[in-house]
């Protein structure tokens, strides 16, 4: 490549050099021989060396509008975690669902989906899983006590009363250690937990009260990682792959004003609802059977002693949070305000609030995100004109050393720094740099010409093949890396076949998140696997069904309500102009 680029410099040399950089980066991403963030820096030095892009041009690709959008969202996420708002939401939703196995799983899935809409999938799983583990330990301990109680017959009433006291004591002792994690999870760094082989083996070798108890543990554990994936599909900021798609699409097609927070939500929210119901039914069938009347009944007469004690434990944990605090209220208001401003910026069917400004196109979702995130560094966490006693209660959920400071802000830079995924920022930037190189060198056009034999296929068949391909590759490679490699190829393919690029790009972006069959598929899988309730065979069996459900629902969406929403029946003008420019 160096020889051709520096000496001969024929027209095709830049395409070859760009392809070489793309392949080297892809190999590093797939093999993970170096960290993903480090591998994303490969275009930063190879493109200038090969003469594909100037160093200043490559550097500009590493910080885009989506970087600022992510920073603002992380500010809000830091406030949510710091003041335990996520824990209050999760416990409240579980209390509403009840302790029946089927409803308990559905309750945890609903709260995980909601949290994952706004927080990263990894953070959401790391937050919810300790709460689920505490509930599971309560079920296991109660089951062990029940089996011991059933094995002893003919006891006197006095002995029965003593056993009841011992049973209650066993519940408290058995769950004490697990429940302590609920208080620690909000103050510890949210990181990917590497599966502990000794703990996993010990858990598998331990005796569950019954096989059904083991099935409940498997079902609830897997439901959380699948729900986190489903929730991440709903919003542009829900997962890094959505951000990668949005920025690369807007960069490649600057005249296309069709992808924003509102249009993405309208398209993806029904997908998430359908997937949530079907995934719950699939897991229920796989692990709990088909007796929905027994596992989903809300009648108190059908509740067992174990379920009643589990509900009691959940209520106790919620009561420990106390009344809602001032910082939680402020965080909730900012959360609602950010969502409303995103929806009403350019809703499409009516003029948005950006129409109030004279210059158009200057304000994006990142503007709202950064503004509200900045305000969290300014607004004091202590209620104005509050007494010292109420001030101390404000800090009950915080480990902030500035408790005595009346002007301590809602979040500090340390809180933000702890959650900011800088590796993802660099990874996304590397994807933008690769896309820019493919565009400038003409590699994307060359790839599109090689795919012309597929022109005889209908659009839905091309989309289905793309979805199946990316969902298979992402089982073994990271989701952002997989999407970054495939987006330029699928864009060129769509332009060559005269298909609306959104017809292939949106389904592929969603299907790249369905790497749920192996612990290495994504970080939430690794976190759930580390708790030891599930084996790899369980993840493969359940994940295969979820993968098929996801691809089927996405294909249904893109061929039904997605068609009028994005005008997919015609090849748009913004893609025509891009195709002509690329050809020249």
């Amino acid at each position: 490549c160096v020889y051709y680029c520096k000496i001969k410099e024929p027209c095709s040399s830049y395409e070859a050099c760009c392809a070489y950089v793309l392949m080297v980066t892809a190999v590093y991403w797939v093999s993970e021989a170096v960290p993903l963030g480090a591998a994303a820096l490969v275009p930063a030095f190879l493109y200038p060396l090969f003469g594909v892009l100037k160093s200043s041009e490559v550097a500009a690709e590493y910080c885009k509008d989506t970087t600022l959008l992510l920073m603002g969202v992380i500010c809000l996420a830091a406030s949510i975690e710091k003041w335990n708002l996520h824990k209050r939401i999760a416990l409240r939703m579980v209390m509403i669902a009840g302790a029946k196995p089927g409803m308990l799983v559905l309750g945890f899935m609903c709260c995980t989906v909601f949290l994952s809409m706004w927080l990263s999938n990894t953070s959401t799983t790391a937050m919810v899983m300790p709460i689920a583990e505490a509930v599971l330990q309560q079920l296991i301990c109660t089951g062990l006590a029940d089996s011991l109680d059933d094995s002893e017959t003919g006891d006197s009433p006095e002995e029965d009363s003593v056993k009841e006291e011992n049973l209650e004591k066993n519940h408290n002792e058995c769950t004490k250690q697990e429940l302590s994690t609920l208080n620690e999870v909000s103050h510890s760094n949210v990181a990917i937990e590497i599966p502990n082989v000794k703990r996993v083996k010990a858990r598998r070798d331990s005796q569950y009260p019954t096989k059904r108890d083991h099935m409940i543990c498997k079902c609830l554990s897997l439901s959380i990682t699948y729900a986190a994936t489903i929730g991440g599909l709903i919003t542009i900021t829900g997962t890094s792959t959505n951000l990668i798609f949005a920025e690369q699409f807007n960069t490649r097609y600057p005249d296309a004003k069709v992808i924003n927070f509102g249009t993405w939500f309208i398209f993806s929210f029904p997908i998430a609802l359908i997937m949530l119901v079907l995934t719950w039914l699939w897991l229920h069938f796989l692990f709990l059977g088909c007796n929905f009347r027994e596992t989903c009944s809300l009648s108190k007469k059908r509740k067992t002693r174990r379920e009643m004690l589990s509900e009691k434990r959940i209520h106790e944990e919620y009561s420990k949070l106390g009344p809602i605090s001032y910082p939680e209220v402020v965080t909730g208001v900012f959360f609602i305000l950010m969502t409303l401003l995103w929806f009403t910026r350019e809703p499409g069917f009516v003029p948005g609030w950006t129409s109030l400004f004279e210059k158009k196109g200057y304000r994006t979702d990142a503007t709202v995100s950064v503004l509200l995130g900045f305000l969290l560094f300014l607004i004091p966490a202590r209620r104005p004109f509050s007494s010292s006693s109420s001030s101390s209660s404000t800090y009950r959920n915080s480990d902030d050393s500035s408790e005595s400071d009346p002007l301590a802000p809602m979040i500090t830079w340390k809180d933000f720094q702890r959650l900011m995924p800088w590796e993802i920022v660099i990874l996304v930037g590397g994807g933008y740099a690769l896309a820019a190189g493919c565009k400038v060198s003409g590699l994307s056009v060359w790839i599109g010409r090689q795919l012309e034999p597929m022109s005889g296929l209908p659009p839905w068949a091309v989309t289905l093949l793309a979805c199946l391909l990316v969902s298979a590759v992402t089982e073994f490679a990271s989701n952002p890396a997989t999407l970054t490699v495939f987006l330029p190829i699928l864009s060129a393919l769509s332009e060559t076949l005269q298909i609306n690029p959104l017809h292939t790009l949106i389904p592929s972006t969603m299907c790249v998140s369905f790497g749920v069959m192996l612990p290495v598929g994504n970080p939430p899988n690794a976190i759930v696997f580390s708790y030891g309730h599930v084996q790899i065979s369980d993840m493969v069996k359940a994940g295969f069904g979820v993968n098929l459900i996801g691809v089927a629902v996405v294909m249904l969406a893109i061929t039904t309500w997605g068609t009028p929403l994005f005008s997919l029946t015609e090849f748009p003008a913004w893609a025509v102009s891009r195709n002509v420019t690329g050809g020249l």
Side-chain angles (χ1 to χ4, degrees), residues 92 141 233 368 424:
R92 169 56 68 178
C141 293
L233 301 175
V368 175
I424 294 298

Side-chain angles (χ1 to χ4, degrees), residues 12 15 19 438 441-452 492 496:
S12 61
E15 298 174 5
C438 292
S441 66
L443 177 63
S444 59
V445 177
W446 181 85
I447 294 175
R449 289 170 181 166
Q450 310 310 309
L451 299 174
E452 285 182 354
T496 302

Side-chain angles (χ1 to χ4, degrees), residues 69 98 181 230 254 292 294 398 413 416 463:
L69 176 65
T181 60
I230 294 171
F292 289 92
E294 178 185 348
S398 173
W413 186 257
F416 168 79
T463 302

